[in-house]
Amino acid sequence: MMAGVTRPDPDPATTAARVLVQALAALGVQDVVLAPGSRSAPLAYALADAARDDADRPAHAPGLRLHVRVDERAAAFLAVGLSRASAHGAGDQVQPPRPVAVVTTSGTAVANLHPAVLEAHHSGLPLILLTADRPHELRGTGANQTTDQVGIFGGAVRLSVDVPAPVGLPDEARSLRRTVSRAVATATGARTGDPGPVHLDLAFREPLVPGDAPWPEPSTAGLTQVQARTVSAAVTGSVPAVGDPATPARRGVPTVLVAGDGAGPAARRLAEVNGWPLLAEPSSGARGGSHAIAAYRLLLEHPVLGGAVRRVVVLGRPTLSRPVQRLLGRPDVEVVVIAPRGRDWPDAARNATDVLVDVPARMRQGRMPAPAGWLDAWRTADAAAGAAIDGVLDGLDVGRRSRSGTRVTGPALARVVAQVSGAGDALVIGSSNPVRDLDLVARWDTPPVVLANRGLAGIDGTVSTAVGAALALPDRRVRALLGDLTFLHDVGGLLRGPLEPAAHLQLVVANDDGGSIFATLEPGEPDRADVFERVFGTPHGADLAALCAGYGVRHTRVSDVDGLLPALAAPGPGLSVVEVRVDRLGRRALGERLVAEAARAVDAAVAR
């Protein structure tokens, strides 16, 4: 060979994949989820090397945790769970979620990521989507498993890059590191404060399997370390726990703090320092302490309580309660939204008075207290409502016990799950009735970490999300409470290959043989009953025990109230399912009775 002539790289796809994996690790990515495929083979081999034990890892290969799933939708939601749970370390401090990469082959594999991408987009989770593709000359030719993947996720990703197939040019590695640097910075919101998913569509030509060449030496050429924006106190929870004693407090506007999904512990501290009632959803990260009002959605309907509110401070994104949305839409209520990140802010009622990026100093210092007696009135009413709710749930079917025991209701199940979930635990909560039942009955001083896919509030991928959360939080006991349709929708999330690490997770499935949330909404009204079961109730008759057996997952069935606590108290190692048979036919009547009994109790308490 002539002097000065560079020998072409015989495996440019392998080299590019290895450089990309090195760059991801150098920029802080620790977890990658892979769904197998042929076109993505260069990435698969590179990740397999990076996942080896230290003693077996090839020279220059970085260390990463690899998770392999055969279903791309399950893989993407596993990444959602890994990223979402990574924000929660020891104690109640919340940190920005870590970026997690997802690797797929080409074709429909890419489209299967879309539900999780939408959830990540609306939740601000930094997913890095690495989708393999055919090289440009094969696109539009009818080549197998080839479609237009570029821009497939539309506005749901913060960045979309069509990366051409490598050919071994000298500057390709540097250029790829630049692209990965920009992708990670964009996913984490380092510059924008708006984290979310990004998409790199990676074209590869054959050969797709590695030869004998060693890993390239790590290089910083092209790597860009992007300084992250300062995180607001509304995210980190660094609001002081006491007011400024040098500043006199001025009693004023009847105020409540609404803590929606992701509000963080700062919301609780802000309510406490100002003496406001705290109306906190379970996944807010703020539900706990002496100011939390568990039955808030019932109290908001009372004229002396909800009717007297004149200011609402909103942190996080409230999604659960119609009474809260009605409150936020009232023309006589000042609505102050604190939204520290992103372009948009939560204001579904389109009634926000102010939208702030940080907590004002006077609010942080406790200089915006409500009138005297305001908080005490809410606490007294909440205690009365809670006692009434407990009385209804405890008295159900007394004296009518069948051979199988007292029937379980959704709220009663949620109450027991809340009771057994301690401060050191984590609880993943499914959409529809489970999260609303928990919202009504959960009373914690120090709550567990509560995680929920409230970005779009779908039932998609909840099992996989819970598995991801359990893998990310190995030092916490992790449970999930979900409905039967949610479980069945993602039952493939139970599948774990024998070479994959086990998640320690208890899945508590409220099985009412259908979609009971619709019974509580307009379709469940008695005069619409003729088509309700077929198009809303959707009974399925599925044998959950048989499904679990097929996946090799432990299964326990509970049919009565007495069996709940023993089944839930000691989850044991590995993955297990506790199926709780729940009454659906009486769901609407139970809800109406709870509201009526709580209203009577609150009327009596307020009148004293």
Side-chain angles (χ1 to χ4, degrees), residues 139-435:
R139 301 178 189 177
T141 67
N144 183 47
Q145 205 169 306
T146 306
T147 188
D148 186 2
Q149 298 175 189
V150 178
I152 191 172
F153 302 116
V157 291
R158 307 292 190 270
L159 175 72
S160 179
V161 181
D162 183 9
V163 182
V167 295
L169 295 175
D171 201 41
E172 278 181 343
R174 179 187 180 93
S175 177
L176 185 56
R177 293 187 195 101
R178 289 280 187 221
T179 299
V180 175
S181 297
R182 187 171 294 275
V184 173
T186 303
T188 57
R191 292 282 297 163
T192 63
D194 186 20
V198 298
H199 180 205
L200 301 184
D201 194 58
L202 303 160
F204 292 119
R205 293 188 182 88
E206 297 179 355
L208 302 174
V209 297
D212 297 330
W215 274 69
E217 291 189 21
S219 172
T220 59
L223 278 181
T224 305
Q225 299 292 338
V226 180
Q227 180 182 10
R229 296 179 63 165
T230 303
V231 181
S232 163
V235 175
T236 63
S238 57
V239 174
V242 295
D244 182 356
T247 303
R250 182 172 58 86
R251 296 286 172 184
V253 181
T255 302
V256 296
L257 192 149
V258 170
D261 180 64
R268 171 179 170 176
R269 297 192 179 106
L270 199 59
E272 290 174 349
V273 77
N274 287 284
W276 299 333
L278 173 61
L279 319 185
E281 295 182 356
S283 62
S284 65
R287 185 166 177 137
S290 59
H291 291 49
I293 307 297
Y296 65 86
R297 73 181 190 231
L298 304 183
L299 304 190
L300 284 174
E301 306 287 17
H302 197 283
V304 176
L305 299 166
V309 174
R310 291 298 177 266
R311 179 192 290 133
V312 181
V313 177
V314 180
L315 279 81
R317 182 166 166 257
T319 61
L320 290 183
S321 167
R322 290 184 179 184
V324 166
Q325 293 304 321
R326 285 195 289 269
L327 172 68
L328 297 177
R330 275 172 36 191
D332 61 335
V333 172
E334 175 191 0
V335 178
V336 180
V337 177
I338 300 173
R341 68 167 180 84
R343 178 193 64 186
D344 300 324
W345 59 90
D347 184 26
R350 297 177 294 173
N351 192 44
T353 309
D354 297 285
V355 179
L356 310 177
V357 296
D358 207 348
V359 181
R362 64 193 181 112
M363 197 180 288
R364 290 199 308 270
Q365 295 163 1
R367 292 191 282 132
M368 295 179 64
W374 175 246
L375 176 62
D376 289 339
W378 279 81
R379 284 170 166 166
T380 300
D382 187 45
I389 291 167
D390 286 341
V392 172
L393 297 180
D394 291 339
L396 287 175
D397 297 320
V398 171
R400 296 196 298 111
R401 291 172 63 89
S402 67
R403 192 177 306 169
S404 62
T406 304
R407 290 180 301 174
V408 182
T409 63
L413 172 58
R415 185 175 59 169
V416 175
V417 170
Q419 290 168 351
V420 300
S421 299
D425 297 344
L427 176 61
V428 179
I429 185 73
S431 293
S432 300
N433 273 334
V435 68

